[in-house]
Amino acid sequence: MLQPINRTSDRLLKAVPHWRERPGWVLSLCLGMALLWLPGAAASTLNCHKTCICASNIVSCSKMNLTTVPTGLPLYTAVLDLSYNEIERLRSDWTPVKLLKLHNLLLSHNGLHFLSAEAFQHVKHLRYLDLSSNDLQLLDEFIFEPLVNLEVLLLYNNHISQIDRSAFLGMINLQKLYLSQNQISRFPVELVKEKSRLEKLSLLDVSSNKIKMFPIDELQALPAWIKNGLYFHNNPLLCHCGIYTLLAHWYIRKLNSAVDFKDDYTCILPGPQKNRVGIFDLSGDSMNCSTFKEEDEEAFLEQRLILGCDTKHRGMLKTWTMPGNVGVTTGSNQTAKVLPDGNLQIGSVRTEDSGTYTCFAVSSAFNETIYVVLKVHNFTMHEDGESMNTAYTTLVSCLASVVLVLMYLYLTPCRCFCCANTGKARGDDSIHSSMLSVTHEDTALKAELNRHVAFIDSKDLQGQNGKLNPNGDEDDDDLDAEAGSLMKGKRKKSVAKSISSVFSDTPMVV
């Protein structure tokens, strides 16, 4: 049992030899010095009558102006309340004995600014630790490692700006962690991220800090029972549509973190003004983010599919109904079955599997209903790929056909006017003949020639050397010269016009 302080004084007086023979002032001086040198003297020794209140296994020393933790705590102490004192340092020897039954330790409002790395070695069975409203600034690595049984840790209203990534390592039973109203600028994603998160953590409060950016994709991938207790309102977040989509989804799911503090989720608009607006108002004129809508599940024929029942609480009993309000039962011929984790597996998806699936989640304190809409495409995933390949091949074939037609039209060999004319005599003008034979027949030239040249029967007139003489009087040479001169001038002019006309109407072939 605890010894009152007056009994301790009596033992000290008995230890002083011949104390009755000394003057009164000497006695008082010796007694005062002895009390000062005693370890854990008056102010540090537990006194259940003056400094603390002891009620069975509860020891309450709140608001007693203590600067150190009282010594001599009973081994059966289960709850120790040291709040509202002046204990600034928690050393490794604050309790020299192991308090194996201590499960609640309250140290709030003490101005505490130092925690020894071995401060919790003798209280490993703590389940509730309150360090709120102190002057803590950083959390070193493995500081809470001995507290493997801790379930609730309160660190709000401190000056914490740095948290080592391994500060909470080993706290396998931690369920609630309060870090609000600090100076934290980095979201501790390792606490909730897959493969590194605390498996039983269901509440993480980092509200009212200095966090500007959040890992949106990683937060969206979290299970609903973590998002339901993830509070990050009253932070100087930068406005963007990603944060709006995240919270809009949580609000539609009626997650507590979004519903309870809807008006406290604000962000800062880009620009020099730094205006603060509500995140749920970003779908309006602020940033015109698109209104969020839950997406349906999609599947293909013969695909194996798993539909999730993402509830807000863990450990719930889950049952499913298929489209048409048909219950999923074990041992039936249904292609759907409920997995051990509560999700629904559909093997070899069929067209008739389209519709709304309902998950009913039940626990002793909470019920939840989740609807999943499934849309099945009328083809397999492999066929879809083949159809894409076929479409691509058809498109390439069409383009190739167009190119060939253009080549045929514009890149064919030379047309008739540039081909050798085998029907003419060697001395004839094949180019002029071909031009006239196609489109351009010079009628003026014909008329002019008819006025000067007459065709006479060869047997009536015959000149020398077999030449014709049209008049019989004129010299054959003069007649030939006149006709030749006329033919030469008219022929050259006609040929020039005909060739230029043809080349202006016919495309140039290279």
Side-chain angles (χ1 to χ4, degrees), residues 174-176 200-204 225-226 228-230 314:
L174 189 63
Q175 301 176 15
K176 299 180 181 180
K200 293 187 178 181
L201 187 65
S202 60
L203 188 149
L204 175 60
W225 58 267
I226 292 182
N228 186 60
L230 183 55
R314 290 189 300 176

Side-chain angles (χ1 to χ4, degrees), residues 94-161:
W94 68 270
T95 172
V97 296
K98 294 182 179 180
L99 301 175
L100 301 180
K101 296 185 178 180
L102 184 65
H103 56 74
N104 279 31
L105 177 59
L106 292 80
L107 284 164
S108 63
H109 298 89
N110 269 283
L112 190 67
H113 61 80
F114 172 78
L115 288 176
S116 171
E118 300 178 351
F120 305 106
Q121 286 292 336
H122 290 168
V123 289
K124 294 182 178 180
H125 295 276
L126 279 179
R127 296 199 302 268
Y128 183 95
L129 177 59
D130 186 0
L131 296 172
S132 63
S133 301
N134 282 293
D135 293 330
L136 298 175
Q137 298 182 6
L138 59 90
L139 300 177
D140 291 328
E141 59 179 353
F142 309 115
I143 186 68
F144 302 110
E145 185 181 17
L147 303 177
V148 294
N149 297 296
L150 196 68
E151 298 175 358
V152 180
L153 177 57
L154 280 65
L155 289 165
Y156 63 85
N157 194 27
N158 275 277
H159 299 91
I160 301 173
S161 59

